[in-house]
Amino acid sequence: MGGSTAAAGTSGAAVVDDRARGPMVRAVDLHRSYGSGTGAVHALRGVSFEIPRGQLVALKGRSGSGKTTLLNLVGGLDAPDGGRIDIDGTDIGGLDESGLLELRRDRVGFIFQSFGLIPILTAAENVGVPLRLRRTPAREREERVALLLELVGLAEHAAQRPTELSGGQQQRVAIARALANRPALLIADEPTGQLDAETGLSVMELLRAIVRAEGVTAFVATHDAQLLDLADRVLELSDGEIVER
Ligand code: ADP
Ligand code: MG
């Protein structure tokens, strides 16, 4: 990849021009509750914020503050009870199931705390999964997988399975996989939560470098103070509300 056109994942100057006007993410008055009646948990209580294009924005807040709930809404994995989310210029509340599927497949890359790699596949095959889902021709797929493994520093480990890799290496594979379809937005939910401090820092530094080099935007939940320094901006959630902007 490389260059801003790669990250946009779209072709045609008109499309890019149109979308370049607004922020990558705009959230307005988001509400999300689980359950109902007296047992209801109000995970998000009117959350509004924007994420400018090309930035790495960290989302901090203690356990239970609503971080995962918010990331799931922004990535189109879950729908809010109220409010509006625009991603890359699209009001995702207006998308039907197939529109949401396309959003998650082509425009958003997800990175989870538990890596989420497929155990029986090699590192290269794991990175190639999103490309297979999009029926990318084999030759193009192999070239892109090689480039991505190089980008995350794992070119030498392409043929290894997840159990043959360290935690940090597994998370690098997951980052490469998240980038496979040239998403505009990377969403990472405590990506360093299962790693020791030093490995976690190196994974966060990799994300930082990718955001700079590839022009992608990243929204990363973490409660590790050391990692917050690498962000362009920090949003803080407390009991379902933004307390810092
Ligand atoms: P965080 O990621 O910051 O730890 P979460 O978004 O996971 O926070 O959770 C926010 C609140 O919503 C917590 O009180 C949590 O217990 C509750 N919650 C999250 N998911 C569910 C669910 N599927 N059903 C019921 N309550 C949930
Ligand atoms: Mg969480």
Short mmCIF file of all heavy atoms in Angstrom, two decimals, residues 63-64 66-69 113 189-190 221, ligand 2:
data_model
loop_
_atom_site.label_atom_id
_atom_site.label_comp_id
_atom_site.label_asym_id
_atom_site.label_seq_id
_atom_site.Cartn_x
_atom_site.Cartn_y
_atom_site.Cartn_z
N SER A 63 -12.95 -0.26 33.03
CA SER A 63 -13.76 -1.40 32.60
C SER A 63 -15.23 -1.11 32.90
O SER A 63 -15.57 -0.65 33.99
CB SER A 63 -13.27 -2.63 33.35
OG SER A 63 -13.97 -3.75 32.92
N GLY A 64 -16.09 -1.34 31.93
CA GLY A 64 -17.51 -1.12 32.13
C GLY A 64 -17.98 0.28 31.77
O GLY A 64 -19.16 0.60 31.88
N GLY A 66 -18.12 1.62 28.84
CA GLY A 66 -18.86 1.67 27.58
C GLY A 66 -18.01 1.66 26.33
O GLY A 66 -18.51 1.83 25.21
N LYS A 67 -16.70 1.41 26.48
CA LYS A 67 -15.78 1.47 25.33
C LYS A 67 -16.15 0.46 24.23
O LYS A 67 -16.26 0.83 23.07
CB LYS A 67 -14.33 1.22 25.79
CG LYS A 67 -13.83 2.22 26.82
CD LYS A 67 -12.37 1.99 27.17
CE LYS A 67 -12.07 0.63 27.79
NZ LYS A 67 -12.75 0.41 29.09
N THR A 68 -16.31 -0.79 24.62
CA THR A 68 -16.62 -1.82 23.62
C THR A 68 -17.97 -1.54 22.96
O THR A 68 -18.12 -1.67 21.74
CB THR A 68 -16.62 -3.22 24.28
OG1 THR A 68 -15.29 -3.50 24.73
CG2 THR A 68 -17.04 -4.31 23.30
N THR A 69 -18.94 -1.13 23.76
CA THR A 69 -20.25 -0.79 23.21
C THR A 69 -20.11 0.30 22.14
O THR A 69 -20.67 0.19 21.05
CB THR A 69 -21.18 -0.29 24.35
OG1 THR A 69 -21.31 -1.34 25.32
CG2 THR A 69 -22.55 0.08 23.82
N GLN A 113 -8.78 -7.63 21.27
CA GLN A 113 -7.84 -7.97 22.33
C GLN A 113 -7.34 -9.41 22.19
O GLN A 113 -6.17 -9.71 22.41
CB GLN A 113 -8.55 -7.79 23.68
CG GLN A 113 -7.69 -8.08 24.87
CD GLN A 113 -8.41 -7.76 26.17
OE1 GLN A 113 -9.40 -7.04 26.19
NE2 GLN A 113 -7.91 -8.29 27.25
N ASP A 189 -10.07 -2.74 19.80
CA ASP A 189 -10.61 -2.81 21.16
C ASP A 189 -9.58 -3.42 22.11
O ASP A 189 -9.40 -4.63 22.14
CB ASP A 189 -11.90 -3.64 21.16
CG ASP A 189 -12.70 -3.46 22.46
OD1 ASP A 189 -12.21 -2.77 23.37
OD2 ASP A 189 -13.80 -4.02 22.54
N GLU A 190 -8.92 -2.57 22.86
CA GLU A 190 -7.86 -2.97 23.78
C GLU A 190 -6.88 -3.96 23.12
O GLU A 190 -6.69 -5.08 23.62
CB GLU A 190 -8.46 -3.55 25.06
CG GLU A 190 -9.43 -2.55 25.69
CD GLU A 190 -9.67 -2.77 27.18
OE1 GLU A 190 -8.75 -3.24 27.86
OE2 GLU A 190 -10.77 -2.44 27.64
N ALA A 221 -9.42 1.66 21.71
CA ALA A 221 -9.74 1.65 23.14
C ALA A 221 -8.56 1.07 23.91
O ALA A 221 -7.99 0.06 23.51
CB ALA A 221 -10.98 0.80 23.41
MG MG B 2 -14.37 -3.54 26.53
#
